[in-house]
Amino acid sequence: MSVRMRLTRVGGHKDPIWRVVVADQRSPRDGRVIETIGRYNAQTNPSTIVLDEERARLWLSRGAQPTDTVRKLLRTQGIDPSGRPAS
């Protein structure tokens, strides 16, 4: 089973809010998730990014692969998306 860190869409019509989730790569975008580790709202100025840093680092160390968008969000929050422990 390959685990990914990716975005799932919530919110209303023309008012998207995204959750950062850990899910099996085979499940659909808004389908079953293993854990929700944050949220992202691009419609605020500046964009709102809230991540549970401890859980994100744990999943990265376990081999979860972030999507390109989540990788950018992790870098913005100062988390190394490679999953290596900080030295």
Side-chain angles (χ1 to χ4, degrees):
M1 174 171 89
S2 182
V3 176
R4 294 230 181 233
M5 294 173 66
R6 63 185 184 195
L7 298 176
T8 186
R9 189 180 192 276
V10 294
H13 179 68
K14 293 190 177 182
D15 185 28
I17 298 172
W18 301 90
R19 287 184 184 152
V20 181
V21 299
V22 178
D24 184 344
Q25 75 174 11
R26 297 171 293 185
S27 63
R29 180 191 75 183
D30 296 336
R32 195 180 81 204
V33 300
I34 299 170
E35 182 178 3
T36 301
I37 61 171
R39 65 184 185 274
Y40 168 59
N41 187 352
Q43 295 189 330
T44 59
N45 189 13
S47 296
T48 305
I49 304 170
V50 179
L51 290 174
D52 185 343
E53 186 175 337
E54 182 180 326
R55 298 302 292 174
R57 289 186 193 278
L58 174 75
W59 281 106
L60 288 168
S61 69
R62 290 183 177 178
Q65 296 296 312
T67 60
D68 292 338
T69 306
V70 172
R71 184 174 284 118
K72 289 177 189 176
L73 294 175
L74 291 170
R75 283 193 186 122
T76 301
Q77 294 300 106
I79 302 170
D80 181 19
S82 67
R84 292 188 295 258
S87 42

Coordinates of all heavy atoms in Angstrom, one line a residue:
M1 N 0.8 -1.2 0.0 CA 0.0 0.0 0.0 C 0.9 1.2 0.0 O 1.7 1.4 0.9 CB -0.9 0.0 1.2 CG -1.7 1.2 1.4 SD -2.9 1.1 2.7 CE -2.0 1.7 4.1
S2 N 0.7 2.1 -1.0 CA 1.4 3.3 -1.1 C 0.6 4.5 -0.5 O -0.5 4.7 -0.8 CB 1.8 3.6 -2.5 OG 2.5 4.8 -2.6
V3 N 1.2 5.2 0.5 CA 0.5 6.2 1.2 C 1.0 7.6 0.6 O 2.2 7.8 0.4 CB 0.8 6.1 2.7 CG1 0.1 7.3 3.4 CG2 0.3 4.8 3.2
R4 N 0.0 8.5 0.4 CA 0.3 9.8 -0.1 C -0.2 10.9 0.9 O -1.3 10.7 1.5 CB -0.3 10.0 -1.4 CG 0.2 9.2 -2.5 CD 0.6 10.0 -3.7 NE 1.1 9.1 -4.7 CZ 2.2 9.4 -5.3 NH1 2.9 10.4 -5.0 NH2 2.7 8.6 -6.3
M5 N 0.5 12.0 0.9 CA 0.0 13.2 1.6 C -0.6 14.1 0.4 O 0.2 14.4 -0.5 CB 1.1 13.9 2.3 CG 1.6 13.1 3.5 SD 3.1 13.9 4.2 CE 2.4 15.3 4.9
R6 N -1.9 14.4 0.5 CA -2.5 15.1 -0.6 C -3.6 16.0 -0.1 O -3.9 16.0 1.1 CB -3.0 14.2 -1.7 CG -4.1 13.3 -1.2 CD -4.4 12.3 -2.3 NE -5.6 11.5 -1.9 CZ -5.9 10.4 -2.5 NH1 -5.3 10.0 -3.5 NH2 -7.0 9.7 -2.0
L7 N -4.2 16.8 -1.0 CA -5.3 17.6 -0.7 C -6.6 17.0 -1.0 O -6.8 16.3 -2.0 CB -5.2 19.0 -1.5 CG -4.0 19.8 -1.2 CD1 -4.0 21.0 -2.1 CD2 -3.8 20.2 0.2
T8 N -7.6 17.3 -0.2 CA -9.0 16.9 -0.4 C -9.9 18.1 -0.3 O -9.6 18.9 0.6 CB -9.5 15.7 0.5 OG1 -10.7 15.3 0.1 CG2 -9.5 16.1 1.9
R9 N -10.8 18.2 -1.2 CA -11.6 19.5 -1.2 C -12.8 19.4 -0.3 O -13.6 18.5 -0.3 CB -12.1 19.7 -2.7 CG -12.7 21.1 -2.9 CD -13.2 21.2 -4.3 NE -13.5 22.5 -4.7 CZ -14.7 23.1 -4.5 NH1 -15.7 22.4 -3.9 NH2 -15.0 24.3 -4.9
V10 N -13.0 20.5 0.5 CA -14.2 20.7 1.3 C -14.6 22.1 1.1 O -14.0 22.9 0.4 CB -13.9 20.4 2.8 CG1 -13.6 19.0 3.0 CG2 -12.8 21.3 3.3
G11 N -15.7 22.5 1.6 CA -16.2 23.9 1.5 C -17.4 23.9 0.5 O -17.8 22.9 -0.1
G12 N -17.9 25.1 0.3 CA -19.1 25.3 -0.6 C -18.8 25.5 -2.0 O -17.6 25.5 -2.5
H13 N -19.8 25.7 -2.8 CA -19.8 25.9 -4.2 C -19.0 27.2 -4.4 O -19.4 28.3 -3.9 CB -21.2 26.0 -4.8 CG -21.2 26.3 -6.2 ND1 -20.8 25.3 -7.2 CD2 -21.6 27.3 -6.9 CE1 -20.9 25.9 -8.4 NE2 -21.4 27.1 -8.3
K14 N -18.0 27.2 -5.2 CA -17.1 28.3 -5.5 C -16.4 28.9 -4.3 O -16.0 30.1 -4.2 CB -17.9 29.4 -6.3 CG -18.3 29.0 -7.7 CD -18.8 30.2 -8.4 CE -19.2 29.7 -9.8 NZ -19.7 30.9 -10.6
D15 N -16.3 28.1 -3.2 CA -15.6 28.5 -2.0 C -14.8 27.3 -1.5 O -15.1 26.8 -0.4 CB -16.7 29.0 -1.0 CG -16.0 29.5 0.3 OD1 -14.9 30.0 0.2 OD2 -16.6 29.4 1.4
P16 N -13.8 26.9 -2.2 CA -13.1 25.7 -1.8 C -12.1 26.0 -0.6 O -11.5 27.0 -0.5 CB -12.2 25.4 -3.1 CG -12.0 26.7 -3.7 CD -13.3 27.5 -3.5
I17 N -12.1 25.0 0.2 CA -11.1 24.9 1.3 C -10.5 23.5 1.2 O -11.3 22.6 0.9 CB -11.7 25.1 2.7 CG1 -12.3 26.6 2.8 CG2 -10.7 24.9 3.8 CD1 -13.2 26.8 4.0
W18 N -9.3 23.4 1.4 CA -8.6 22.1 1.2 C -8.1 21.6 2.5 O -7.5 22.3 3.3 CB -7.4 22.3 0.2 CG -7.9 22.8 -1.1 CD1 -8.0 24.1 -1.5 CD2 -8.3 22.0 -2.2 NE1 -8.4 24.2 -2.8 CE2 -8.7 22.9 -3.3 CE3 -8.5 20.6 -2.5 CZ2 -9.1 22.5 -4.5 CZ3 -8.9 20.2 -3.7 CH2 -9.2 21.1 -4.7
R19 N -8.2 20.3 2.7 CA -7.6 19.6 3.9 C -6.4 18.9 3.4 O -6.4 18.3 2.3 CB -8.6 18.6 4.5 CG -9.7 19.2 5.2 CD -10.6 18.1 5.9 NE -11.7 18.8 6.5 CZ -12.9 18.2 6.7 NH1 -13.1 16.9 6.3 NH2 -13.9 18.8 7.3
V20 N -5.4 18.9 4.2 CA -4.2 18.1 3.9 C -4.3 16.8 4.6 O -4.5 16.8 5.8 CB -2.9 18.8 4.4 CG1 -1.6 18.0 4.1 CG2 -2.8 20.2 3.8
V21 N -4.4 15.7 3.8 CA -4.7 14.4 4.4 C -3.6 13.4 4.0 O -2.9 13.6 3.1 CB -6.1 13.9 3.9 CG1 -7.2 14.8 4.4 CG2 -6.1 13.7 2.5
V22 N -3.6 12.3 4.8 CA -2.8 11.1 4.5 C -3.8 10.1 4.0 O -4.8 9.8 4.7 CB -2.0 10.7 5.7 CG1 -1.2 9.4 5.4 CG2 -1.1 11.8 6.2
A23 N -3.6 9.5 2.8 CA -4.5 8.6 2.2 C -3.8 7.5 1.4 O -2.7 7.8 0.9 CB -5.6 9.3 1.4
D24 N -4.4 6.4 1.2 CA -4.0 5.4 0.2 C -4.1 6.0 -1.2 O -5.1 6.7 -1.5 CB -4.8 4.2 0.3 CG -4.4 3.0 -0.6 OD1 -3.6 3.3 -1.5 OD2 -4.8 1.9 -0.4
Q25 N -3.1 5.9 -2.0 CA -3.1 6.5 -3.3 C -4.2 6.0 -4.2 O -4.6 6.7 -5.1 CB -1.7 6.4 -4.0 CG -1.5 5.0 -4.6 CD -0.2 5.0 -5.4 OE1 0.6 5.9 -5.4 NE2 0.0 3.9 -6.1
R26 N -4.7 4.8 -3.9 CA -5.8 4.3 -4.7 C -7.2 4.8 -4.4 O -8.1 4.7 -5.2 CB -5.8 2.7 -4.6 CG -4.5 2.1 -5.0 CD -4.5 0.6 -4.7 NE -4.5 0.5 -3.2 CZ -4.4 -0.6 -2.5 NH1 -4.3 -1.8 -3.2 NH2 -4.3 -0.6 -1.2
S27 N -7.3 5.5 -3.3 CA -8.6 6.0 -2.9 C -8.9 7.3 -3.7 O -7.9 8.0 -4.0 CB -8.8 6.2 -1.4 OG -7.8 7.2 -1.0
P28 N -10.2 7.7 -4.0 CA -10.5 8.9 -4.7 C -10.1 10.1 -3.9 O -9.9 10.1 -2.7 CB -12.0 8.8 -5.0 CG -12.5 7.8 -4.0 CD -11.4 6.9 -3.6
R29 N -10.1 11.3 -4.6 CA -9.7 12.5 -4.1 C -10.4 12.9 -2.8 O -9.8 13.3 -1.8 CB -9.9 13.7 -5.1 CG -9.4 15.0 -4.5 CD -9.9 16.2 -5.4 NE -11.3 16.4 -5.2 CZ -12.0 17.3 -5.8 NH1 -11.4 18.1 -6.7 NH2 -13.3 17.5 -5.6
D30 N -11.7 12.7 -2.8 CA -12.5 13.1 -1.6 C -13.0 11.8 -0.9 O -14.0 11.8 -0.2 CB -13.7 13.9 -2.0 CG -13.3 15.3 -2.6 OD1 -12.2 15.7 -2.2 OD2 -14.0 15.9 -3.3
G31 N -12.3 10.7 -1.1 CA -12.7 9.4 -0.5 C -12.1 9.2 0.9 O -11.8 10.2 1.6
R32 N -11.9 8.0 1.2 CA -11.4 7.6 2.6 C -10.0 8.1 2.8 O -9.2 8.0 2.0 CB -11.5 6.0 2.7 CG -11.3 5.5 4.1 CD -11.4 4.0 4.1 NE -10.0 3.6 3.8 CZ -9.7 2.4 3.3 NH1 -10.7 1.5 3.1 NH2 -8.5 2.1 3.0
V33 N -9.8 8.6 4.0 CA -8.5 9.1 4.4 C -8.0 8.3 5.7 O -8.8 7.8 6.4 CB -8.5 10.6 4.7 CG1 -8.9 11.4 3.4 CG2 -9.4 11.0 5.8
I34 N -6.7 8.3 5.8 CA -6.2 7.7 7.0 C -6.1 8.7 8.2 O -6.5 8.4 9.3 CB -4.7 7.2 6.8 CG1 -4.8 6.1 5.7 CG2 -4.1 6.6 8.0 CD1 -3.4 5.7 5.1
E35 N -5.7 9.9 7.9 CA -5.6 11.0 8.9 C -5.6 12.4 8.2 O -5.0 12.5 7.2 CB -4.3 10.8 9.7 CG -4.2 11.8 10.8 CD -2.9 11.6 11.6 OE1 -2.1 10.7 11.3 OE2 -2.7 12.3 12.6
T36 N -6.2 13.3 8.9 CA -6.2 14.7 8.4 C -5.1 15.4 9.2 O -5.2 15.4 10.5 CB -7.6 15.4 8.6 OG1 -8.6 14.7 7.9 CG2 -7.6 16.8 8.2
I37 N -4.2 16.0 8.6 CA -3.1 16.7 9.3 C -3.0 18.2 9.1 O -2.1 18.8 9.6 CB -1.7 16.1 8.9 CG1 -1.5 16.2 7.4 CG2 -1.7 14.6 9.3 CD1 0.0 15.8 7.0
G38 N -4.0 18.8 8.4 CA -4.0 20.2 8.3 C -5.0 20.7 7.3 O -5.9 20.0 6.8
R39 N -5.0 22.0 7.1 CA -5.9 22.7 6.1 C -5.2 23.8 5.4 O -4.2 24.3 5.9 CB -7.2 23.1 6.8 CG -7.0 24.2 7.8 CD -8.3 24.6 8.5 NE -8.1 25.7 9.4 CZ -7.7 25.6 10.6 NH1 -7.4 24.5 11.2 NH2 -7.6 26.7 11.4
Y40 N -5.8 24.2 4.2 CA -5.2 25.2 3.4 C -6.4 25.9 2.7 O -7.3 25.4 2.1 CB -4.3 24.5 2.3 CG -3.9 25.4 1.2 CD1 -3.2 26.5 1.4 CD2 -4.2 25.0 -0.1 CE1 -2.8 27.3 0.3 CE2 -3.8 25.8 -1.2 CZ -3.1 27.0 -0.9 OH -2.6 27.7 -2.0
N41 N -6.3 27.3 2.8 CA -7.3 28.1 2.2 C -6.6 29.2 1.4 O -6.0 30.1 1.9 CB -8.2 28.8 3.2 CG -9.4 29.5 2.6 OD1 -9.4 29.7 1.4 ND2 -10.3 30.0 3.5
A42 N -6.7 29.0 0.0 CA -6.0 29.9 -0.9 C -6.7 31.2 -1.1 O -6.2 32.1 -1.7 CB -5.7 29.2 -2.2
Q43 N -8.0 31.3 -0.7 CA -8.8 32.5 -1.0 C -8.7 33.6 0.1 O -9.2 34.7 -0.2 CB -10.3 32.0 -1.1 CG -10.5 31.1 -2.2 CD -12.0 30.9 -2.5 OE1 -12.8 30.9 -1.6 NE2 -12.3 30.7 -3.8
T44 N -7.9 33.4 1.1 CA -7.6 34.4 2.1 C -6.4 35.2 1.6 O -5.6 34.6 0.8 CB -7.4 33.9 3.5 OG1 -6.4 33.0 3.5 CG2 -8.7 33.2 4.0
N45 N -6.2 36.4 2.1 CA -5.0 37.1 1.7 C -4.2 37.5 3.0 O -4.7 38.4 3.7 CB -5.4 38.3 0.9 CG -4.2 39.0 0.3 OD1 -3.1 38.5 0.2 ND2 -4.4 40.2 -0.2
P46 N -3.1 36.9 3.3 CA -2.4 35.9 2.6 C -3.1 34.5 2.8 O -3.9 34.4 3.7 CB -1.0 35.9 3.2 CG -1.3 36.4 4.6 CD -2.4 37.4 4.5
S47 N -2.7 33.5 2.0 CA -3.2 32.2 2.1 C -3.1 31.6 3.5 O -2.0 31.8 4.2 CB -2.6 31.2 1.1 OG -2.8 31.7 -0.2
T48 N -4.1 30.9 4.0 CA -4.0 30.3 5.3 C -3.5 28.9 5.2 O -4.1 28.0 4.5 CB -5.4 30.3 6.0 OG1 -5.9 31.6 6.0 CG2 -5.4 29.7 7.4
I49 N -2.4 28.5 5.9 CA -1.9 27.2 5.9 C -1.7 26.8 7.4 O -1.0 27.4 8.1 CB -0.5 27.1 5.2 CG1 -0.6 27.6 3.8 CG2 0.0 25.7 5.2 CD1 0.7 27.8 3.1
V50 N -2.4 25.7 7.8 CA -2.3 25.2 9.1 C -2.0 23.7 9.0 O -2.7 22.9 8.5 CB -3.6 25.4 9.9 CG1 -3.5 24.8 11.3 CG2 -4.0 26.8 9.9
L51 N -0.8 23.4 9.5 CA -0.3 22.0 9.5 C 0.1 21.5 10.8 O 0.7 22.3 11.6 CB 0.8 21.8 8.5 CG 0.6 22.0 7.0 CD1 1.9 21.9 6.2 CD2 -0.3 20.9 6.5
D52 N -0.2 20.3 11.2 CA 0.3 19.6 12.4 C 1.7 19.1 12.0 O 1.9 18.1 11.4 CB -0.6 18.5 12.8 CG -0.2 17.9 14.2 OD1 1.0 18.1 14.6 OD2 -1.0 17.2 14.7
E53 N 2.7 19.9 12.4 CA 4.1 19.6 12.0 C 4.6 18.3 12.5 O 5.2 17.5 11.8 CB 5.0 20.7 12.5 CG 6.4 20.6 12.1 CD 7.3 21.8 12.5 OE1 6.7 22.9 12.8 OE2 8.5 21.6 12.6
E54 N 4.2 18.0 13.7 CA 4.7 16.7 14.3 C 4.1 15.5 13.5 O 4.8 14.5 13.2 CB 4.2 16.6 15.8 CG 4.6 15.3 16.5 CD 4.1 15.3 17.9 OE1 4.1 16.4 18.6 OE2 3.8 14.2 18.4
R55 N 2.8 15.5 13.2 CA 2.2 14.4 12.4 C 2.7 14.4 11.0 O 2.9 13.3 10.5 CB 0.7 14.5 12.4 CG 0.1 14.5 13.8 CD 0.4 13.2 14.6 NE -0.2 12.0 13.9 CZ 0.0 10.8 14.3 NH1 0.8 10.5 15.3 NH2 -0.6 9.8 13.7
A56 N 3.0 15.5 10.4 CA 3.5 15.6 9.0 C 4.9 14.9 9.0 O 5.2 14.1 8.1 CB 3.6 17.0 8.5
R57 N 5.7 15.3 10.0 CA 7.1 14.7 10.0 C 7.0 13.2 10.3 O 7.8 12.4 9.7 CB 7.9 15.4 11.1 CG 8.3 16.8 10.8 CD 9.2 17.3 11.8 NE 9.4 18.8 11.7 CZ 10.2 19.4 10.9 NH1 11.0 18.7 10.1 NH2 10.3 20.7 10.8
L58 N 6.1 12.7 11.1 CA 5.9 11.3 11.4 C 5.6 10.6 10.1 O 6.2 9.5 9.8 CB 4.8 11.1 12.4 CG 4.5 9.6 12.7 CD1 5.6 9.0 13.5 CD2 3.2 9.5 13.4
W59 N 4.6 11.1 9.4 CA 4.2 10.4 8.1 C 5.3 10.4 7.1 O 5.5 9.4 6.3 CB 2.9 11.0 7.6 CG 1.7 10.4 8.3 CD1 0.9 11.1 9.2 CD2 1.2 9.1 8.3 NE1 -0.1 10.3 9.7 CE2 0.1 9.0 9.1 CE3 1.5 8.0 7.5 CZ2 -0.7 7.9 9.3 CZ3 0.7 6.8 7.7 CH2 -0.3 6.8 8.6
L60 N 6.0 11.5 7.0 CA 7.1 11.6 6.0 C 8.2 10.5 6.4 O 8.8 9.9 5.5 CB 7.7 13.0 6.0 CG 6.8 14.0 5.3 CD1 7.4 15.4 5.6 CD2 6.8 13.8 3.8
S61 N 8.5 10.4 7.7 CA 9.5 9.4 8.1 C 9.0 8.0 7.9 O 9.9 7.1 7.7 CB 9.8 9.6 9.6 OG 8.7 9.3 10.4
R62 N 7.7 7.8 7.9 CA 7.2 6.4 7.6 C 7.1 6.1 6.1 O 6.7 5.1 5.7 CB 5.8 6.3 8.2 CG 5.7 6.2 9.7 CD 4.3 6.0 10.1 NE 4.3 5.9 11.6 CZ 3.1 5.7 12.2 NH1 2.0 5.7 11.6 NH2 3.2 5.6 13.5
G63 N 7.4 7.1 5.2 CA 7.5 6.9 3.8 C 6.3 7.4 3.0 O 6.2 7.1 1.8
A64 N 5.5 8.3 3.6 CA 4.4 8.9 2.9 C 5.0 9.8 1.8 O 5.9 10.6 2.1 CB 3.4 9.6 3.8
Q65 N 4.4 9.8 0.6 CA 4.9 10.6 -0.5 C 4.0 11.8 -0.7 O 2.8 11.6 -1.0 CB 5.0 9.8 -1.8 CG 6.0 8.7 -1.8 CD 7.4 9.2 -1.6 OE1 7.8 10.1 -2.3 NE2 8.1 8.6 -0.7
P66 N 4.5 13.1 -0.5 CA 3.6 14.2 -0.7 C 3.4 14.5 -2.2 O 4.4 14.3 -3.0 CB 4.3 15.4 0.0 CG 5.8 14.9 0.0 CD 5.8 13.4 0.1
T67 N 2.3 15.0 -2.6 CA 2.0 15.5 -3.9 C 2.8 16.8 -4.1 O 3.3 17.3 -3.1 CB 0.6 15.7 -4.2 OG1 0.1 16.7 -3.3 CG2 -0.2 14.4 -4.1
D68 N 2.9 17.2 -5.3 CA 3.7 18.5 -5.6 C 3.2 19.7 -4.8 O 3.9 20.4 -4.2 CB 3.7 18.8 -7.1 CG 4.5 17.8 -7.9 OD1 5.4 17.1 -7.3 OD2 4.3 17.7 -9.1
T69 N 1.8 19.8 -4.8 CA 1.2 20.9 -4.1 C 1.5 20.8 -2.6 O 1.8 21.8 -1.9 CB -0.3 20.9 -4.3 OG1 -0.5 21.0 -5.7 CG2 -0.9 22.2 -3.7
V70 N 1.3 19.6 -2.0 CA 1.6 19.5 -0.6 C 3.1 19.7 -0.3 O 3.4 20.3 0.8 CB 1.1 18.1 -0.1 CG1 1.5 17.8 1.4 CG2 -0.4 18.0 -0.2
R71 N 3.9 19.3 -1.1 CA 5.4 19.5 -1.0 C 5.7 21.0 -0.8 O 6.4 21.4 0.0 CB 6.1 18.9 -2.1 CG 7.6 19.0 -2.0 CD 8.4 18.2 -3.1 NE 8.3 16.8 -2.8 CZ 7.7 15.9 -3.6 NH1 7.2 16.3 -4.7 NH2 7.7 14.6 -3.2
K72 N 5.0 21.8 -1.7 CA 5.2 23.3 -1.6 C 4.7 23.8 -0.3 O 5.3 24.7 0.3 CB 4.5 23.9 -2.8 CG 5.2 23.7 -4.1 CD 4.4 24.3 -5.2 CE 4.9 23.9 -6.6 NZ 4.1 24.4 -7.7
L73 N 3.5 23.3 0.1 CA 3.0 23.8 1.4 C 3.9 23.4 2.6 O 4.1 24.2 3.5 CB 1.6 23.2 1.7 CG 0.5 23.6 0.7 CD1 -0.8 22.8 1.0 CD2 0.2 25.1 0.8
L74 N 4.5 22.2 2.5 CA 5.4 21.8 3.6 C 6.6 22.7 3.6 O 7.1 23.1 4.7 CB 5.8 20.3 3.4 CG 4.7 19.3 3.6 CD1 5.2 17.9 3.1 CD2 4.3 19.2 5.1
R75 N 7.2 23.0 2.5 CA 8.3 23.9 2.4 C 8.0 25.3 2.9 O 8.8 25.9 3.6 CB 8.9 24.0 1.0 CG 9.6 22.8 0.6 CD 10.4 23.0 -0.7 NE 11.0 21.8 -1.2 CZ 10.8 21.2 -2.4 NH1 10.0 21.8 -3.2 NH2 11.4 20.1 -2.7
T76 N 6.8 25.8 2.6 CA 6.4 27.1 3.1 C 6.3 27.1 4.6 O 6.7 28.1 5.2 CB 5.0 27.4 2.5 OG1 5.1 27.4 1.1 CG2 4.5 28.8 3.0
Q77 N 5.9 26.0 5.2 CA 5.8 25.9 6.7 C 7.2 25.5 7.3 O 7.2 25.3 8.5 CB 4.7 24.9 7.1 CG 3.4 25.3 6.7 CD 3.0 26.6 7.3 OE1 2.9 27.7 6.6 NE2 2.7 26.6 8.6
G78 N 8.2 25.3 6.5 CA 9.5 25.0 7.1 C 9.7 23.5 7.4 O 10.6 23.2 8.2
I79 N 9.0 22.6 6.8 CA 9.1 21.2 7.0 C 9.8 20.6 5.8 O 9.4 20.9 4.6 CB 7.7 20.5 7.2 CG1 7.0 21.2 8.4 CG2 7.9 19.0 7.4 CD1 5.5 20.7 8.5
D80 N 10.8 19.8 6.0 CA 11.6 19.2 4.9 C 10.8 18.0 4.3 O 10.6 17.0 5.0 CB 12.9 18.7 5.4 CG 13.8 18.0 4.3 OD1 13.5 18.3 3.1 OD2 14.7 17.3 4.6
P81 N 10.3 18.1 3.0 CA 9.4 17.1 2.5 C 10.2 15.8 2.1 O 9.6 14.8 1.8 CB 8.9 17.7 1.2 CG 9.4 19.1 1.1 CD 10.4 19.3 2.2
S82 N 11.5 15.7 2.3 CA 12.2 14.5 2.0 C 12.0 13.5 3.1 O 12.3 12.3 2.9 CB 13.7 14.8 1.8 OG 14.3 15.2 3.1
G83 N 11.6 13.9 4.3 CA 11.3 13.0 5.4 C 12.6 12.7 6.2 O 12.5 11.9 7.2
R84 N 13.7 13.3 5.9 CA 14.9 13.1 6.7 C 14.8 13.9 8.0 O 14.3 15.0 8.0 CB 16.1 13.6 5.9 CG 16.4 12.8 4.7 CD 17.7 13.2 4.1 NE 17.7 14.6 3.6 CZ 17.5 14.9 2.3 NH1 17.4 14.0 1.4 NH2 17.5 16.1 2.0
P85 N 15.3 13.3 9.1 CA 15.3 14.1 10.3 C 16.2 15.3 10.2 O 17.2 15.3 9.6 CB 15.8 13.1 11.3 CG 16.3 11.9 10.6 CD 15.8 12.0 9.2
A86 N 15.8 16.4 10.9 CA 16.6 17.6 10.9 C 17.9 17.4 11.7 O 17.9 16.7 12.7 CB 15.8 18.7 11.6
S87 N 19.0 17.9 11.2 CA 20.3 17.7 11.9 C 20.8 19.0 12.4 O 20.3 20.1 12.2 CB 21.3 17.1 10.9 OG 21.3 17.7 9.6

